[in-house]
Amino acid sequence: MFEEKLKEFEPIFYPKTIAVVGASPNENKMGSLWVKGFISAGFPGTVHPVGSTGGTICGLNIFPNLRLVPGEVDYVVVCIPRESILELLDDCAAKKVKAVHFFTAGFSEMGEEGRKLEEQMLRKARQGGFRIIGPNCIGIYCPESRIPCGPSPRIGASGSIGFVSQSGGIADKLMEVGIARHINYSKGISFGNGIDLDASDFLQYLAVDPKTSVIGTYLEGTRNGRRLFDTVKEVAKSKPLIVWKGGRTEAGAQAAMSHTGSLASSAAIWSAMLRQAGAIEVQNLEELSDTLLIFQQLVSWKGSNVAIVGGLADGGGGISVSASDICVESGLKLPSLCSKTRIGLTKLLGEVGSILRNPVDVSQARRLGSSNLFQAMELVLEDPVIELLLIQEDIDILLTYFSWEEVKGINNFFTELRSKQSKPLVVVSPPGSAEPERLNIEQILLEASIPVFPSMERAAKAIVAISRYYSLG
Amino acid sequence: MFEEKLKEFEPIFYPKTIAVVGASPNENKMGSLWVKGFISAGFPGTVHPVGSTGGTICGLNIFPNLRLVPGEVDYVVVCIPRESILELLDDCAAKKVKAVHFFTAGFSEMGEEGRKLEEQMLRKARQGGFRIIGPNCIGIYCPESRIPCGPSPRIGASGSIGFVSQSGGIADKLMEVGIARHINYSKGISFGNGIDLDASDFLQYLAVDPKTSVIGTYLEGTRNGRRLFDTVKEVAKSKPLIVWKGGRTEAGAQAAMSHTGSLASSAAIWSAMLRQAGAIEVQNLEELSDTLLIFQQLVSWKGSNVAIVGGLADGGGGISVSASDICVESGLKLPSLCSKTRIGLTKLLGEVGSILRNPVDVSQARRLGSSNLFQAMELVLEDPVIELLLIQEDIDILLTYFSWEEVKGINNFFTELRSKQSKPLVVVSPPGSAEPERLNIEQILLEASIPVFPSMERAAKAIVAISRYYSLG
């Protein structure tokens, strides 16, 4: 139903020509950083620096005025102080640009004067026939068209996750966490004060964007609650929509007013609205990225029965107890294994020192050899009642009993097990005293489409989120 | 009131001679691993391997029988199968040992037969005048006397945190996390099935141990609830006692029965009991280690008013909003800064693009220079209403704007700021795409007594725990 957005937003996400207003030969000026960012990210279109100084930056001529830039300009990035902005918007109209992104801050978040300026800007955009992104934001991130996230040249792999963030800092961090955890984005948008295009517009776009299959969003508030509610409801019908609402508390709402000039409404109203709309509510950045990761890696997984395996090296008893608590409290199902599986496990692991229920404590496998461990895990995964295998491995503990080659061997077994059958594997790998090795293993697993979480709580919460979504959906 | 425990447990934590029963010339046998562990940890006393094979291990003669070991033996580690255990206990009595630790598993956690065997073992201990630790556990950890944690040679720095864990795996992980996060232990105990010495005994010991100032514990259940409750109440009167109860859910309780043969009682009863006793309840390993860390680093800190600073590089707005939500929801107080502080911040940072309330978004400092950043942070910390400074820094984001040397310079400023005044600093440093650098900075901060947490939630929860403890206490 939002198909018209595809065409309208084409010049925003796939611009042929970008002008950066506020560039100068000084490489450390904000406008110059934006120019450098586009160049070093490998943006394949044309970048035109614009700035009153003239001269060059990154070997490109700096045009003293936007009107002097030759040819068409799709997209303008603005880094000049707010005092010069109305005049620039006249230039944008004259130049028939499609969209203007204001990195510049100091508007409604600063008070009444800024709010009035925003009204004038919006009028000029309407008259000039172009759209505004921001002000007070880092704008567009699109790995596919080599548009980096903000004025830094940071850019990750292209993927299927779209995000919309009212905060630039949170957009930045989502992108960095994405690089670390292989959460790959189709598009990201930070829209700041959102005086023209806001959360609703970008959510509508992502809902119809064929490159986007899952959407995450950080919102502080809106000037048009009804429209946002209707949008969330429509968008959530077509794609999983994960929402983190900032400004839930009065202190948070006050900070939101200073940040993006947003009127945040009560947490209870938002939660009720999101539930009614079929969106998935999360409470912080960790939970947002965890949920995006599991939706990306477990593509449309429909299930609820989980088997947990712990004690790969030793001492899986405490993990079995605490994982049971945590998973059950989170809402996961840990069904009993069928008798065939239990008999097989007894043969492979022996009774003493192992726990052959769900969770399965495979502690005895170290003594018996990795072949027994591997067969035991295959047996659990083959149990007809089990739909997902959740493995706890503590790399530091493993390394006190196994060599690094053996630890890699165990994890290679996980990646092979994942690839040769259809049930998902999820790994919990808590931080500890062997961080370089843990991070190395995490990358191996992520590359094999095995999502990795730093704690049982976070894994359980993410699995519950996807389980509920596709079971109810 | 538990002073008698000090003398009684002296041979357990400070043994002069240890015998390891179940050693063999085969270096990979469990008993041999224990011998190797004591030697490589630098245990200064005498270690005697005992095993039916004879021969040598680590250059030490293996005695075929405990009775043949020359001189006195304080402490015995047992790694032989349960079938030979009763005979060994007669040897222990003949040898007048003080304590026997059973690493061996396969007792009440396996069913009725094992439970009967435990009863016989206990009778023999009473008759023989020695104490039993376990069975089914990794026993004692004491860095001061160079007793490593379990059969691995893992050992961290000596410190003031004592822990008691029913699970060996969780004891192991607490120790590894301790090494990573500079949580330094005085003593650690994993007591497994606890047929003789159990949680109550060791908690009583830690309560009077002069080397221990804070106590953490992981418990699954007990055979003597009344005694444990009375103990917890007494211990919590003298030192901060942080309790993680495993087996809260029915699934967890069932796993606990298979793990340590414990009857876990309901979560609600435990929570009420702990609250009444003045203990601090936590829900998982992360929260347990976070709470131990803050109690260790903020020694007796009494306060509740926190100032948050974010946006060290850019985009502190979203952090300000979400940190407000999280801290207020956790129960932290974020008081308004006094007008002198706010005027000073306006001079240092300017109004546009910064948020000069609490949380303080110092985004503009990057443009203005680190001197302004440092002065702004000092100003906030000097505000008379502020009792603790909570700093959010994302190392990956910092590194997109600053050089590595500059990032280290900012963190060196934090450590200097910490050392030259009395208010604590706490840092939130979330994982991301620059993990080696993040871990490096974390170590620098931890060495300077600045606790570091991977998320605002975890920092806020830990601060609330210590604030409530010393405010109410």
Side-chain angles (χ1 to χ4, degrees):
Chain A
M1 74 183 290
F2 305 120
E3 276 69 19
E4 80 285 355
K5 282 279 186 297
L6 273 186
K7 190 162 180 293
E8 186 185 3
F9 283 18
E10 176 85 12
I12 294 176
F13 292 100
Y14 302 95
K16 294 190 183 62
T17 303
I18 296 173
V20 178
V21 181
S24 98
N26 178 345
E27 290 214 342
N28 296 317
K29 281 275 174 188
M30 193 45 75
S32 307
L33 290 174
W34 275 93
V35 173
K36 275 165 66 183
F38 286 121
I39 303 300
S40 61
F43 175 69
T46 309
V47 179
H48 289 304
V50 176
S52 54
T53 56
T56 64
I57 176 78
C58 298
L60 300 169
N61 282 325
I62 300 172
F63 295 92
N65 187 294
L66 183 65
R67 295 183 196 233
L68 298 175
V69 171
E72 286 188 12
V73 172
D74 293 319
Y75 187 76
V76 179
V77 178
V78 182
C79 310
I80 54 174
R82 62 178 184 176
E83 290 69 28
S84 326
I85 266 175
L86 292 177
E87 198 185 326
L88 171 69
L89 288 179
D90 291 332
D91 296 346
C92 290
K95 210 49 205 163
K96 293 193 165 54
V97 307
K98 307 298 188 310
V100 183
H101 157 223
F102 285 92
F103 184 71
T104 309
F107 296 86
S108 57
E109 80 276 15
M110 299 296 303
E112 193 46 34
E113 202 184 325
R115 190 174 299 277
K116 280 188 185 149
L117 184 53
E118 285 181 355
E119 281 169 16
Q120 289 174 283
M121 289 158 73
L122 190 56
R123 267 201 301 278
K124 285 196 182 283
R126 292 283 177 271
Q127 287 160 6
F130 56 85
R131 306 306 301 256
I132 288 177
I133 301 162
N136 183 22
C137 74
I138 59 171
I140 301 304
Y141 171 53
C142 184
E144 187 192 359
S145 49
R146 308 305 297 164
I147 297 179
C149 188
S152 76
R154 300 290 294 165
I155 193 160
S158 191
S160 63
I161 308 290
F163 74 78
V164 178
S165 169
Q166 203 152 354
S167 154
I170 284 166
D172 262 351
K173 188 66 184 181
L174 266 181
M175 195 269 311
E176 297 292 346
V177 169
I179 290 175
R181 301 183 79 190
H182 294 224
I183 302 167
N184 299 326
Y185 299 107
S186 53
K187 274 103 186 171
I189 303 106
S190 143
F191 63 90
N193 297 10
I195 62 168
D196 178 19
L197 297 176
D198 69 2
S200 295
D201 297 286
F202 291 111
L203 289 173
Q204 290 173 8
Y205 171 78
L206 293 176
V208 291
D209 174 31
K211 303 290 172 70
T212 299
S213 56
V214 178
I215 305 168
T217 183
Y218 169 78
L219 300 175
E220 290 183 355
T222 175
R223 298 175 193 200
N224 191 339
R226 185 74 231 169
R227 180 168 177 246
L228 183 59
F229 174 58
D230 290 340
T231 297
V232 165
K233 217 160 60 173
E234 280 306 316
V235 171
K237 273 183 199 161
S238 61
K239 294 176 187 179
L241 174 61
I242 299 133
V243 181
W244 172 22
K245 170 64 176 69
R248 294 188 299 265
T249 61
E250 200 185 313
Q254 281 178 11
M257 174 53 77
S258 303
H259 178 214
T260 51
S262 291
L263 282 170
S265 41
S266 97
I269 293 174
W270 269 84
S271 292
M273 184 276 263
L274 293 173
R275 207 169 34 245
Q276 201 186 327
I280 299 162
E281 189 179 14
V282 295
Q283 303 297 330
N284 52 53
L285 191 131
E286 290 77 23
E287 202 184 334
L288 175 55
S289 60
D290 289 345
T291 313
L292 293 175
L293 176 66
I294 206 142
F295 271 87
Q296 173 188 280
Q297 300 281 42
L298 264 58
V299 188
S300 309
W301 176 70
K302 206 168 174 160
S304 61
N305 289 333
V306 171
I308 300 175
V309 170
L312 296 181
D314 192 51
I319 290 303
S320 296
V321 176
S322 59
S324 298
D325 284 342
I326 290 159
C327 290
V328 168
E329 284 168 351
S330 304
L332 270 190
K333 286 187 205 153
L334 303 178
S336 297
L337 302 173
C338 73
S339 65
K340 190 184 152 213
T341 309
R342 297 178 71 156
I343 292 165
L345 287 175
T346 308
K347 278 187 197 152
L348 284 165
L349 301 173
E351 282 190 275
V352 174
S354 290
I355 301 178
L356 306 178
R357 32 190 313 129
N358 185 10
V360 185
D361 166 16
V362 295
S363 299
Q364 293 309 303
R366 189 191 67 237
R367 192 171 50 80
L368 299 163
S370 57
S371 159
N372 289 46
L373 171 66
F374 298 166
Q375 285 178 62
M377 296 188 75
E378 282 183 294
L379 205 58
V380 173
L381 195 55
E382 280 163 12
D383 189 309
V385 78
I386 296 307
E387 295 167 302
L388 181 149
L389 187 61
L390 179 57
I391 303 164
Q392 162 118 10
E393 61 167 341
D394 288 87
I395 301 297
D396 44 10
I397 310 262
L398 279 172
L399 284 169
T400 66
Y401 293 97
F402 294 107
S403 70
W404 173 233
E405 286 309 316
E406 286 169 323
V407 172
K408 279 200 288 189
I410 291 171
N411 283 277
N412 287 339
F413 166 74
F414 297 162
T415 65
E416 280 162 28
L417 188 59
R418 176 69 195 92
S419 68
K420 73 183 185 192
Q421 50 78 53
S422 62
K423 295 179 188 175
L425 270 61
V426 173
V427 165
V428 174
S429 177
S433 65
E435 290 301 275
E437 294 85 353
R438 182 180 69 84
L439 294 165
N440 187 316
I441 294 290
E442 186 178 17
Q443 293 302 313
I444 291 170
L445 296 172
L446 288 168
E447 272 161 31
S449 294
I450 299 176
V452 181
F453 297 87
S455 73
M456 190 55 75
E457 280 75 8
R458 289 176 57 176
K461 225 171 197 176
I463 296 170
V464 165
I466 191 170
S467 168
R468 287 201 179 137
Y469 183 84
Y470 287 111
S471 302
L472 301 175
Chain B
M1 72 182 289
F2 306 121
E3 276 70 19
E4 79 286 354
K5 282 279 187 296
L6 273 187
K7 188 159 180 296
E8 187 185 2
F9 284 18
E10 175 85 13
I12 294 177
F13 292 100
Y14 302 95
K16 293 189 183 65
T17 303
I18 296 174
V20 178
V21 181
S24 99
N26 178 345
E27 291 214 341
N28 296 317
K29 281 276 174 186
M30 194 45 76
S32 309
L33 291 174
W34 276 93
V35 174
K36 275 166 64 183
F38 286 120
I39 303 299
S40 62
F43 175 69
T46 309
V47 179
H48 289 304
V50 176
S52 54
T53 56
T56 64
I57 176 76
C58 297
L60 301 169
N61 282 325
I62 300 174
F63 295 92
N65 187 294
L66 183 65
R67 295 185 195 232
L68 298 175
V69 171
E72 287 188 12
V73 173
D74 293 319
Y75 187 77
V76 179
V77 177
V78 182
C79 310
I80 55 174
R82 62 177 185 176
E83 290 70 27
S84 326
I85 266 174
L86 292 178
E87 202 185 322
L88 171 69
L89 289 179
D90 292 330
D91 297 347
C92 290
K95 210 50 205 162
K96 293 192 166 52
V97 306
K98 306 300 189 307
V100 183
H101 157 221
F102 285 93
F103 184 71
T104 309
F107 296 87
S108 57
E109 80 277 15
M110 299 296 301
E112 194 45 32
E113 203 184 326
R115 190 173 297 276
K116 281 187 185 151
L117 185 52
E118 286 181 354
E119 282 169 16
Q120 290 173 279
M121 290 159 71
L122 190 54
R123 267 199 303 276
K124 283 192 183 287
R126 291 285 176 271
Q127 288 159 6
F130 56 84
R131 307 303 305 251
I132 289 177
I133 300 161
N136 184 23
C137 74
I138 57 171
I140 302 303
Y141 170 54
C142 183
E144 187 191 359
S145 48
R146 308 305 297 164
I147 297 179
C149 189
S152 77
R154 300 291 290 167
I155 194 160
S158 192
S160 63
I161 307 291
F163 73 79
V164 179
S165 168
Q166 204 151 355
S167 155
I170 284 166
D172 262 353
K173 188 66 184 182
L174 267 181
M175 194 270 310
E176 297 292 347
V177 170
I179 290 176
R181 301 182 78 190
H182 294 223
I183 302 168
N184 298 328
Y185 299 106
S186 52
K187 274 103 185 170
I189 303 105
S190 140
F191 63 90
N193 297 11
I195 63 168
D196 178 19
L197 296 176
D198 68 1
S200 295
D201 297 285
F202 290 111
L203 289 173
Q204 289 173 10
Y205 171 77
L206 292 176
V208 289
D209 175 31
K211 303 290 173 71
T212 300
S213 56
V214 178
I215 305 168
T217 183
Y218 169 78
L219 300 175
E220 290 184 355
T222 175
R223 298 174 194 202
N224 191 340
R226 186 72 233 171
R227 181 168 178 246
L228 183 59
F229 174 58
D230 290 340
T231 298
V232 165
K233 219 161 59 177
E234 280 307 315
V235 172
K237 273 182 199 161
S238 60
K239 294 177 185 178
L241 174 61
I242 298 133
V243 181
W244 172 23
K245 169 66 175 69
R248 293 189 299 265
T249 61
E250 202 187 311
Q254 282 178 12
M257 175 52 78
S258 305
H259 178 215
T260 50
S262 292
L263 282 170
S265 41
S266 96
I269 292 175
W270 269 84
S271 292
M273 185 274 265
L274 294 173
R275 207 170 34 245
Q276 201 187 327
I280 300 162
E281 189 179 15
V282 297
Q283 303 296 329
N284 52 52
L285 192 131
E286 290 77 23
E287 202 182 336
L288 175 55
S289 60
D290 288 345
T291 313
L292 293 176
L293 176 66
I294 206 140
F295 272 87
Q296 172 189 281
Q297 300 280 44
L298 265 58
V299 188
S300 310
W301 175 71
K302 208 169 172 159
S304 62
N305 289 334
V306 171
I308 301 175
V309 170
L312 296 181
D314 192 52
I319 289 302
S320 296
V321 176
S322 60
S324 299
D325 284 342
I326 290 160
C327 290
V328 168
E329 285 168 350
S330 303
L332 271 190
K333 286 186 204 151
L334 303 178
S336 296
L337 302 173
C338 73
S339 66
K340 188 184 153 215
T341 309
R342 297 178 69 156
I343 291 166
L345 287 176
T346 308
K347 276 186 198 150
L348 284 165
L349 301 172
E351 281 190 277
V352 173
S354 290
I355 302 176
L356 306 179
R357 32 190 313 128
N358 184 11
V360 185
D361 167 15
V362 294
S363 300
Q364 293 310 303
R366 190 192 66 237
R367 194 171 48 80
L368 299 162
S370 56
S371 159
N372 289 46
L373 171 66
F374 298 166
Q375 286 179 62
M377 295 187 76
E378 283 183 292
L379 204 59
V380 173
L381 193 56
E382 281 163 13
D383 189 307
V385 78
I386 296 306
E387 295 167 302
L388 182 150
L389 187 61
L390 179 57
I391 303 164
Q392 162 118 10
E393 62 167 341
D394 289 88
I395 301 296
D396 45 9
I397 310 262
L398 279 172
L399 284 169
T400 64
Y401 293 98
F402 293 108
S403 71
W404 173 232
E405 287 308 316
E406 286 169 323
V407 172
K408 279 200 289 189
I410 291 171
N411 282 277
N412 287 339
F413 165 73
F414 296 162
T415 66
E416 282 162 27
L417 187 59
R418 177 71 194 87
S419 68
K420 73 182 184 192
Q421 50 77 54
S422 64
K423 294 182 189 175
L425 269 63
V426 173
V427 165
V428 174
S429 176
S433 65
E435 289 302 273
E437 293 85 354
R438 182 180 69 84
L439 294 165
N440 187 315
I441 293 292
E442 185 178 16
Q443 293 302 313
I444 292 170
L445 297 173
L446 287 168
E447 271 161 33
S449 294
I450 300 176
V452 182
F453 297 88
S455 72
M456 189 53 77
E457 280 78 5
R458 288 177 57 177
K461 226 172 196 174
I463 297 170
V464 165
I466 192 169
S467 167
R468 288 200 178 138
Y469 183 82
Y470 288 110
S471 302
L472 300 176

